[in-house]
Amino acid sequence: MTDLAGSLRPATPEDWPTFSRALFDVFAEEPPRSFVDAVPAHAELDRSLGLWEDDRVVATAGIYSRQLTVPGAVVACAGITWVTVSPTHRRQGVLTAIMRRQLTELHEQQREPVAALWASESSIYGRFGYAPATWRGNLSGSVARLRLRPGVDAGAGRVDLVGVERYRAAAVGLHDRVRRFVPGNLDRDDRWWDRALRDEPDQRHGATTRRYLLHTEPDGTVTGYAAYRVKAGWTDAGEPDGTVTVEEIRSTSTPAYAALWRFLLSLDLVRTVKAPLLPSDDPLRYLLADPRALHSRPVDALWVRLVDVDRALAARRYPAPIDLVLEVRDPFCPWNAGRWRLTGHPAGGHCARTDRDPDLVVDVEALGAAYLGGESLATLQAAGRVEEVSPGAVTLAATAFRWPLGPWCPDEF
């Protein structure tokens, strides 16, 4: 394992064509030419890892430097990405070496206190201390049944189809405002907006180019935006059977949100609406006359790992006061194992080593699942991931860790 870890090294710009093709080969995908021909602007090669065997890359990994919204705060987050191991090198400790290298360096360099990833397979990352902390709703429904409640206030503003330049100019600032209040949201600088708005023809899967909406108030203030595609379809009887896929929709007010949805639900020749990345508890359900018309099939989204338990827990806020000792179990990152006294309240938190008796015994995966405020520690106790030592400690901790807004991550990476 030591020799293997030592042979991992960052990729260079000269390595990129080989490195990137190896990455896509494992995912059985054809990479966009723009991705292979030049290093993408958002890529951070100094934070990449590759395992070379002669002139072949047999394993890859990378990190994006991101800012993650957590309950009441924003923290630096290591966005783990590009993780692949060639089929020829599976079950040889390669992935373990990559995960250990990444987490150890983050800890030793005192960089991001939290790491996060989107898991291609949900059975892989738990053994490295990651746990799903947000879920995407996979929302869908029939347009015929998705009608807004009578009396829903859609405001006095207007919804316009706009070009990508106008859309971007308005959406950047609006996104930066709203993402700071929703745990699980990530920052987007110019590089990440370039990535979000890229519209490669071979990635459309038969749908239209991406279309853009802005909601504007009578005074000219933009209070909402949406991005969507339409895929035409027809039944055997010649009836229209199109599908609109809503890729993103954000607003700063309920009327703006309602107005954007009213537009999306009235598109010609469309019979089905899909919004795969929206959360299962999206407020759309409560705008509808028939809540059952909106179907949800939740799937795990952002997986979270506390790199340094003390720094991570101190970085977020707690809506209810908490003063408990947590005995953390973390065999993969032993620097986290042991007892930590966590004190917190709505204005801040503090976490430090202690020799006091524990109130709770918890594994690091449970802490990752509960970190963004969406998963209850009481639920995790029922699953055997949390052990209550002091009576009432689970209730206190579950109350303090939850957050009024459910976590949600709309940015895949």
Side-chain angles (χ1 to χ4, degrees):
M1 186 70 69
T2 302
D3 292 338
L4 178 60
S7 63
L8 291 166
R9 67 168 176 83
T12 66
E14 293 72 29
D15 296 326
W16 180 250
T18 302
F19 182 96
S20 59
R21 287 194 178 278
L23 163 67
F24 275 88
D25 282 348
V26 173
F27 283 108
E29 297 177 0
E30 186 64 29
R33 290 290 306 177
S34 60
F35 190 88
V36 175
D37 290 346
V39 181
H42 63 276
E44 301 175 48
L45 291 191
D46 61 318
R47 305 196 77 180
S48 68
L49 288 174
L51 181 62
W52 271 259
E53 189 174 84
D54 299 324
D55 60 349
R56 178 173 170 239
V57 180
V58 297
T60 63
I63 293 178
Y64 294 132
S65 305
R66 305 300 301 271
Q67 295 288 316
L68 173 69
T69 301
V70 301
V74 176
V75 302
C77 175
I80 308 302
T81 187
W82 302 346
V83 179
T84 69
V85 178
S86 170
T88 60
H89 287 69
R90 302 260 170 87
R91 296 175 179 82
Q92 298 177 34
V94 176
L95 182 57
T96 299
I98 289 172
M99 294 286 106
R100 195 178 303 282
R101 169 86 166 257
Q102 286 182 327
L103 292 168
T104 299
E105 289 184 351
L106 289 173
H107 167 67
E108 291 179 346
Q109 297 169 9
Q110 289 289 282
R111 295 193 69 160
E112 295 93 341
V114 178
L117 55 80
W118 286 70
S120 56
E121 295 182 74
S122 59
S123 61
I124 295 176
Y125 293 98
R127 66 182 184 271
F128 306 121
Y130 289 88
T134 78
W135 295 75
R136 53 191 173 99
N138 270 324
L139 303 182
S140 64
S142 167
V143 169
R145 294 184 61 196
L146 293 170
R147 293 285 181 260
L148 300 186
R149 289 186 298 105
V152 165
D153 181 10
R158 56 180 292 168
V159 175
D160 293 298
L161 274 165
V162 299
V164 64
E165 294 82 7
R166 183 178 165 192
Y167 174 85
R168 178 170 180 162
V172 168
L174 193 151
H175 174 272
D176 196 53
R177 290 196 301 276
V178 298
R179 62 99 178 171
R180 296 175 182 273
F181 297 98
V182 184
N185 274 211
L186 296 164
D187 67 319
R188 292 181 190 168
D189 60 16
D190 284 342
R191 300 169 305 158
W192 285 96
W193 272 105
D194 287 344
R195 183 179 187 265
L197 297 176
R198 186 178 300 123
D199 193 9
E200 304 275 359
D202 59 356
Q203 302 296 308
R204 295 171 188 160
H205 306 293
T208 62
T209 58
R210 189 182 294 112
R211 297 173 178 176
Y212 302 101
L213 301 176
L214 290 180
H215 180 272
T216 308
E217 301 295 337
D219 66 359
T221 303
V222 175
T223 52
Y225 66 81
Y228 69 97
R229 300 180 191 274
V230 177
K231 187 173 183 178
W234 301 87
T235 67
D236 292 340
E239 296 293 327
D241 193 27
T243 298
V244 56
T245 298
V246 180
E247 296 186 353
E248 185 164 14
I249 178 168
R250 306 299 293 265
S251 73
T252 57
S253 74
T254 299
Y257 200 62
L260 287 166
W261 273 112
R262 185 172 60 184
F263 181 100
L264 292 164
L265 295 174
S266 63
L267 293 170
D268 291 337
L269 309 181
V270 168
R271 296 295 177 266
T272 302
V273 172
K274 295 182 178 180
L277 290 176
L278 292 184
S280 54
D281 63 348
D282 190 88
L284 172 62
R285 185 179 305 280
Y286 301 98
L287 290 171
L288 298 174
D290 180 3
R292 289 186 182 178
L294 186 66
H295 305 296
S296 176
R297 294 184 299 106
V299 178
D300 57 278
L302 193 70
W303 289 56
V304 167
R305 211 280 184 213
L306 306 192
V307 177
D308 291 309
V309 164
D310 53 341
R311 293 197 297 143
L313 294 182
R316 56 157 289 174
R317 305 294 181 258
Y318 300 85
I322 184 172
D323 186 351
L324 292 175
V325 174
L326 311 178
E327 183 171 315
V328 177
R329 294 172 175 166
D330 190 352
F332 198 73
C333 295
W335 57 82
N336 284 325
R339 297 176 184 176
W340 301 90
R341 182 183 178 186
L342 171 63
T343 57
H345 45 74
H350 179 73
C351 187
R353 289 277 185 191
T354 183
D355 57 4
R356 284 176 38 180
D357 291 337
D359 298 299
L360 294 175
V361 180
V362 57
D363 65 49
V364 76
E365 288 177 72
L367 285 179
Y371 184 65
L372 296 181
E375 196 61 72
S376 170
L377 285 169
T379 301
L380 293 161
Q381 180 198 25
R385 311 307 294 267
V386 177
E387 177 187 344
E388 184 176 69
V389 179
S390 299
V394 167
T395 299
L396 175 59
T399 302
F401 268 79
R402 291 302 287 262
W403 196 249
L405 283 175
W408 167 50
C409 184
D411 290 296
E412 294 180 282
F413 57 85

